[in-house]
């Protein structure tokens, strides 16, 4: 799953890839309780991905010492969605990665659909 997610990022248009250079991509089995609470969920099976960090439009050049932003994918919920829907796993991973990367740029859901369409 990590390799699939990395391939998605490498397939984004150059201007997005370069701006995502500092973002850390992580795959874990499930979100932590704190991650679930941050998006108002309590069922660990409901969260397939998460962006943690400050969106680029909200950053200040005067801030320093910030941890890098992170894109998380949660393996078990993605597998459960794959089994339930029959959607190709690579497509699910692509959708989640692009959606979470969109949060890094402060994109709306419509913008994220465009970005997903532009990914190779």
């Amino acid at each position: 799953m990590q390799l699939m997610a990395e391939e998605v990022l490498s397939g984004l248009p150059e201007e997005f890839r370069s701006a995502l250079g500092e973002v850390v991509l992580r795959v874990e089995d499930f979100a932590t309780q704190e991650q679930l609470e941050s998006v108002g969920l309590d069922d660990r099976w409901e969260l397939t991905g998460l962006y943690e960090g400050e969106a680029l439009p909200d950053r200040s050049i005067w801030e320093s010492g910030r941890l890098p932003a992170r894109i998380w994918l949660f393996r078990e919920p993605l597998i459960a969605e794959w089994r339930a829907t029959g959607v190709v796993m690579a497509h699910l991973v692509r959708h989640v990665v692009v959606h979470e990367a969109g949060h890094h740029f402060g994109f709306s859901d419509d913008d994220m659909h465009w970005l997903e369409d532009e990914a190779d």
Side-chain angles (χ1 to χ4, degrees), residues 21-88:
E22 67 185 50
V23 175
V24 175
L25 182 62
R26 298 280 312 268
V27 177
E28 295 290 338
D29 285 340
F30 289 100
T32 65
Q33 188 62 38
E34 293 80 22
Q35 289 170 321
L36 291 170
E37 290 171 1
S38 76
V39 292
L41 296 173
D42 55 359
D43 182 352
R44 67 185 190 159
W45 291 96
E46 291 183 37
L47 191 59
T48 57
L50 179 68
Y51 173 77
E52 289 181 330
E54 191 169 8
L56 289 177
D58 299 333
R59 291 185 181 182
S60 167
I61 61 170
W62 303 109
E63 295 177 16
S64 66
R66 169 186 320 120
L67 290 173
R70 291 173 298 245
I71 293 175
W72 295 90
L73 275 74
F74 304 112
R75 182 180 296 110
E76 294 299 329
L78 279 165
I79 291 170
E81 185 173 341
W82 166 67
R83 287 179 177 154
T85 64
V87 174
V88 175

